[in-house]
Amino acid sequence: MQQPAIQCKALTKTYGKARGVENLDIVVETGAFYGFIGPNGAGKSTTIRAFLGLIAPTAGSVRVLGLNPANAAQRTALLAKVGYLPSETQFYPDMRVAEVIALSARLHRKHCAAEAARLCERLELDTSKKIEQLSLGNRKKAGIVCAMQHDPDLYILDEPTSGLDPLMQRVFFELLEEKHAEGKTIFFSSHVLGEVQRHCTCAAVLRQGCLAAQGSVSALAGTTARCISLQLAQGAQGVLPAALQGLPGIATPTQVGHNLQFLYTGQPAPLLAALAALPGGMLQDVTITEPGLEEVFLHYYTEGV
């Protein structure tokens, strides 16, 4: 049986009295396209740094590609097989992009010129410029090339699309999908839930340093909840009608344009009866749909379920 690409047991990292992550049990199977979901500050970067041996866990164990990143000799062997993109890419400002990419290749002891050129062309990256001349998005592109050019077995990417414009985000995920089709394992963190739903097969949800859920994306998105959108008359917008207040299964509503939107987990009959009992003219329209992953977990974060 093939060993997981990443496996951690009871991983805990504290910073004095400050919380990092606590008792994480995560399994990423080889060949998975895995999303690591959580809002900013949830502990995603701390977890990734522990996977790479950049920080030492306070407790628990980590194995990545069967190697222990806390062991110096094994960490060196591990990093040769990993493509890592930090959430904030930092390079020597006076170096040109081509020099940074070549340096990264030499550190991996590989000849990557052809693959680097292909990636730069796909990402529309000008390699003649100095790092200090680059925008945030172009620095992120340089980091992507450095992370991917040596054809690693495992990609660990921390908030990889931050700074990229929508077109480049699409190109970036095309590159990842191509690598995934070749059997590579991809692990990336994100607080953009739509990215995870579109591309990932599996995911874990981190909330306040603790693992809240883990499994296939379809299972995580699966819910009996329904997304209810009410278009109310002028003057009634933004206020949950009294007939609906206290109805079991209604989550805290949010204002979306001219609509009032909320998740509902109760039975349909009481909701429909309450809607039918609203004063004439108050309810202009109603839409009932299955929620997407983003709607489910936005509710999850805010409600603390």
Side-chain angles (χ1 to χ4, degrees), residues 7 25-26 34 66 88 112 135 165 170 178 181-182 193 205 222 247 279 303:
Q7 185 171 28
D25 291 321
I26 295 175
Y34 200 98
E88 297 182 7
C112 308
S135 65
D165 63 47
R170 185 173 67 181
E178 291 166 10
E182 295 173 7
L193 299 172
V205 182
L247 193 66
E303 295 293 315

Side-chain angles (χ1 to χ4, degrees), residues 240-251 253 264 270 274:
L240 190 67
L244 299 178
Q245 294 177 12
L247 193 66
I250 287 186
Y264 179 68

Side-chain angles (χ1 to χ4, degrees), residues 50-53 57 60-76 78:
F51 288 171
L52 296 166
S61 64
V62 179
R63 294 293 182 273
V64 179
L65 300 178
L67 299 169
N68 179 6
N71 178 287
Q74 293 189 35
R75 180 168 60 249
T76 300
L78 166 64

Side-chain angles (χ1 to χ4, degrees), residues 5 9 11 43 71 78 81 83 90 97 105-106 142 144 151 180 185 190 196 200 203 210 239 246 285:
K9 295 181 180 179
L11 174 63
N71 178 287
L78 166 64
K81 302 177 181 180
Q90 301 289 335
V97 174
R106 289 199 300 273
I144 292 170
D151 193 32
H180 183 235
T185 305
S190 180
V196 176
C200 293
C210 297
V239 179
D285 196 8

Side-chain angles (χ1 to χ4, degrees), residues 43-114:
K44 301 187 301 296
S45 294
T46 294
T47 304
I48 286 174
R49 289 168 187 154
F51 288 171
L52 296 166
L54 301 178
I55 59 174
T58 304
S61 64
V62 179
R63 294 293 182 273
V64 179
L65 300 178
L67 299 169
N68 179 6
N71 178 287
Q74 293 189 35
R75 180 168 60 249
T76 300
L78 166 64
L79 294 178
K81 302 177 181 180
V82 173
Y84 170 51
L85 178 68
S87 57
E88 297 182 7
T89 49
Q90 301 289 335
F91 300 111
Y92 298 113
D94 289 337
M95 292 183 71
R96 299 192 184 277
V97 174
E99 294 171 332
V100 167
I101 293 172
L103 173 61
S104 176
R106 289 199 300 273
L107 290 172
H108 283 288
R109 299 180 181 178
K110 286 192 173 183
H111 299 288
C112 308

